[in-house]
Amino acid sequence: MTGIIAGGRATGSRVAPVRRIRDVLRTRILAGVYGTRPLPSETELAAEFGASRNIVRDVLALLRKEGLVDRIPGVGTFVVSGKAVQGLDRLRGLAESFDTGCDRVVNQVLLADTVPATPTVAERLSLDPGTEVIALERVRLLDGQPLSLDASYLPADVGRPLLEMDLARHDVFGLLEGELGLPLGAAALSIEAVAADRTVAGLLHVPDGFPLLLLERLTYTDAGRPIDLEFVRFRGDRTSLAGWLHRTPDPTHPLLNHHPSPERG
C-alpha cells in the first residue's frame, strides 16, 4: 500500500506533494500568517494546492508531529507553537534577537564558576590546557518555556567579573560590552543536528533522543582576541536559524580561471 503515514512520514506516491505542501504551510505558520485563526479546512487546502484530502491529512499530521499545529475536533486546526528565529547574519545574543520589553528571555543559571580548561576549550580560547576559565551553564527560557541549554567558557580575566552580575536577566554579550567595555567583533560558528541525552532532555523538557540544533560559536573582540566559546543546544521544535547570505566570486574556482583559447582564423 502506498501513501500511508509511517513513523510520521508520508510514503509512496504521496511523498513529494506532501512535503511540498508541508513546506508551504510551515513557512506561513512561522511567518504568522494564520495568527489565532484556524488553518483553512482540509477541503479548502485540497482545492488550493490541487491535492487530495488524503494528502492534506498527511501534511497536517506532519505539522502536528512537529508541534506546530493541533486539531480541536469540531473547531479546526490551529497554530500552537511558532518557532523562535535566531538570526545568523549579525552577531547578537539571544535576548537581542527578540522583543524583551516583557522579559521574554530569562536564564536559569545552573553553573557560574571557575573550572580548569579542557583541551578543546583551551585550544579555542588560545590558552594552555588546565588554565582556569569561567564556565557558565544556563537554560534559556523564551516566554517561560525552555528554548536552549547554553554552556559558555571565557578566560578568567574576562569572565570573573560576570560572576557578580545578573546573569539571569542579561545576555553575556550585553554584559561584556555594556558593563566591561569589551566591544565584540566577529564569531566563528558551526551548526549540526544532535540528539538530546537524558540530562539535556530533562533540562529542556523533551524526551530522550529529541532532535536538537547544536551551535558552537567562538566570539572574538574587535581586537581579535577569542573570549567566549559557547555550545548552545536549541530545541529543534522551537528554534529556526536564519540568515542573509551574499555570494562573492571564488577566485580559486576552476571555471573562473579558465580562459578559452582565441579562435584561430
Side-chain angles (χ1 to χ4, degrees):
M1 180 178 179
T2 60
I4 63 173
I5 290 288
R9 297 180 299 169
T11 63
S13 61
R14 296 214 298 261
V15 169
V18 166
R19 294 172 73 176
R20 176 179 61 83
I21 298 170
R22 185 275 311 271
D23 288 345
V24 172
L25 291 181
R26 186 175 184 276
T27 299
R28 292 178 184 175
I29 289 168
L30 297 181
V33 169
Y34 299 112
T36 58
R37 297 177 287 109
L39 271 65
S41 68
E42 292 178 0
T43 301
E44 291 170 325
L45 290 172
E48 177 184 356
F49 291 103
S52 69
R53 290 185 62 179
N54 284 336
I55 286 178
V56 171
R57 291 190 185 106
D58 287 351
V59 170
L60 296 178
L62 289 177
L63 294 174
R64 284 196 297 273
K65 184 175 179 64
E66 193 174 348
L68 291 177
V69 302
D70 197 10
R71 179 169 179 76
I72 302 177
V75 180
T77 299
F78 291 82
V79 176
V80 295
S81 175
K83 290 199 175 186
V85 179
Q86 175 75 9
L88 298 180
D89 50 1
R90 177 172 169 263
L91 182 58
R92 52 190 166 188
L94 185 66
E96 292 178 287
S97 300
F98 308 107
D99 176 13
T100 57
C102 297
D103 291 328
R104 294 189 65 197
V105 176
V106 176
N107 306 315
Q108 291 181 348
V109 182
L110 307 178
L111 174 68
D113 205 351
T114 302
V115 301
T118 64
T120 296
V121 171
E123 186 271 330
R124 299 286 199 280
L125 294 176
S126 298
L127 302 171
D128 293 327
T131 301
E132 285 192 345
V133 295
I134 301 302
L136 307 175
E137 189 171 31
R138 298 162 294 159
V139 174
R140 316 296 300 275
L141 305 176
L142 177 63
D143 297 330
Q145 297 298 319
L147 180 69
S148 68
L149 174 65
D150 296 18
S152 303
Y153 302 90
L154 304 95
D157 64 305
V158 173
R160 190 170 283 112
L162 298 177
L163 301 180
E164 306 300 323
M165 298 181 184
D166 186 1
L167 295 170
R169 296 284 176 177
H170 294 93
D171 277 344
V172 168
F173 283 180
L175 294 174
L176 289 174
E177 292 189 317
E179 299 296 326
L180 301 183
L182 287 172
L184 305 178
L189 61 85
S190 64
I191 303 166
E192 62 179 300
V194 297
D197 60 35
R198 180 173 301 179
T199 300
V200 173
L203 292 171
L204 294 181
H205 299 177
V206 296
D208 291 359
F210 195 81
L212 306 176
L213 293 173
L214 172 60
L215 181 147
E216 178 184 330
R217 180 169 60 189
L218 178 59
T219 300
Y220 296 78
T221 66
D222 64 350
R225 181 189 179 187
I227 62 167
D228 184 9
L229 174 63
E230 300 172 85
F231 298 95
V232 186
R233 290 169 171 81
F234 288 103
R235 279 180 48 162
D237 64 329
R238 300 201 65 213
T239 312
S240 176
L241 304 177
W244 183 260
L245 304 179
H246 294 274
R247 183 171 177 83
T248 56
D250 179 0
T252 65
H253 195 288
L255 292 180
L256 295 179
N257 294 314
H258 174 66
H259 303 286
S261 301
E263 293 185 5
R264 294 181 179 179

